[in-house]
Amino acid sequence: ETLMPPMVVQEIASKPGMACQHHQFQNATVAQSDLCGFTELASTRQPQEVVEIISELFGRFDELTDKFAIYKVETVGDAYIAAMAEPPLSAINSPSAVVRFGLAMVEVTHAWSERRGENV
C-alpha cells in the first residue's frame, strides 16, 4: 500500500530517475467531512481515547473509499478529505459516487454514535 494514487505510482515506476509530472485536472469531485461535536467530545476524553475514536471512525471511512473507489487525500484533525478526478488520481470521476460516499460516511458516523451513545 502507498499514500499515492496507484496510477501515480505506476507512472513514477515507469520513468525511474525522472521528475514527477505535475497533473492538472479538468474535473474533480471532492468530499470533505467535519465531525460536528467532535471537538466537544475530545475535550472530555484522554488523548489515547481521542486517537482510538478518530482511528475507528476514519478506519470505517477508509473502507468506504475502497467500496466507492475514491482516493483518500488526507485527514486533518477530525476532517477527512477524499476525491475523484480523471487519471491518474482515480480511474474515473464520478460525482454521484462521491455523493454516495458522503452519504455513507453520514450513515457510518450515525451508527457509530448510536452504538456508543455519543453525540457526533
Side-chain angles (χ1 to χ4, degrees), residues 1-6 9 62 65-66 70-72:
E1 292 296 315
T2 177
L3 296 176
M4 292 186 283
V9 172
D62 289 345
T65 62
D66 292 339
I70 295 173
Y71 177 66
K72 175 184 174 180

Side-chain angles (χ1 to χ4, degrees), residues 32-44:
Q32 179 175 343
S33 72
D34 179 62
L35 297 172
C36 298
F38 185 78
T39 301
E40 183 178 335
L41 172 69
S43 72
T44 65

